[in-house]
Amino acid sequence: MKSEYFTHLSLMIALLAAILATPAHAESNRMKRKAGAFAAVNQPNPGILGLNVAYHFADVLRADAGYASMSSSLGTSESSTSTLGFGINAYVPDWSLSPTVGLHFATVSYSGNNAIEVGGFTSNGSHLYASLGVDWQAESGFHAGLGYNLSFKSGIGGSGYVALGWFFDFLN
């Protein structure tokens, strides 16, 4: 299991080094529309459906924060979880369609008397996780992304994510 983490981490570090070493020539669509919002499956992780806000500080760097919640009831038993997360993602400069690598932190709050599991969490907790994927932002501001999240917390593992949203030019 540890070798799997080191392999994934090595790949992410190599991709990040390649992204940061790529010379910039022209702005991508990320710099034309810097602030945005998106809905995502598993972002923040864990989260069935998360609502996120993001800002591109540079053509190679975006920060985001998100919230996800879910509830379950079985007879008279009810439980709910909520996830609050934030992270930073790196991109290839100039590319509107770009590979991306990120580092994120999320905290999970659990309440209730019914066992509910979301992304390996069955109680309160937090974790640091990395993401590896592809991200596209159109000139109009439309955003789509997909990839894989890998938790550094033992027993949590990894999961895919899919994101759709919109970015705007009001904070440029």
Side-chain angles (χ1 to χ4, degrees):
M1 185 80 130
K2 277 190 174 183
S3 65
E4 178 183 317
Y5 286 117
F6 288 119
T7 301
H8 286 107
L9 186 59
S10 298
L11 288 172
M12 289 179 191
I13 290 171
L15 179 59
L16 179 60
I19 287 171
L20 295 177
T22 303
H25 300 289
E27 288 184 343
S28 72
N29 292 328
R30 287 186 300 278
M31 294 312 298
K32 295 173 186 170
R33 299 177 183 275
K34 294 181 179 182
F38 59 94
V41 174
N42 268 338
Q43 198 71 340
N45 183 14
I48 302 299
L49 181 63
L51 300 176
N52 300 267
V53 293
Y55 186 78
H56 292 282
F57 288 98
D59 205 9
V60 296
L61 207 57
R62 180 182 84 193
D64 55 52
Y67 176 80
S69 69
M70 85 171 269
S71 60
S72 170
S73 62
L74 181 62
T76 59
S77 298
E78 292 187 16
S79 294
S80 65
T81 63
S82 60
T83 303
L84 182 62
F86 58 91
I88 195 153
N89 298 287
Y91 302 88
V92 176
D94 312 337
W95 294 13
S96 295
L97 174 63
S98 172
T100 179
V101 61
L103 187 62
H104 312 269
F105 176 81
T107 183
V108 179
S109 298
Y110 176 87
S111 64
N113 54 8
N114 184 13
I116 184 173
E117 180 179 330
V118 178
F121 284 88
T122 57
S123 62
N124 294 342
S126 59
H127 72 133
L128 186 66
Y129 63 98
S131 62
L132 181 64
V134 63
D135 189 273
W136 176 60
Q137 187 172 318
E139 190 171 348
S140 66
F142 176 77
H143 166 261
L146 63 99
Y148 188 76
N149 294 322
L150 179 65
S151 178
F152 294 113
K153 185 172 184 168
S154 179
I156 300 302
S159 60
Y161 69 86
V162 177
L164 292 174
W166 209 268
F167 280 76
F168 306 93
D169 63 0
F170 64 88
L171 290 176
N172 286 351

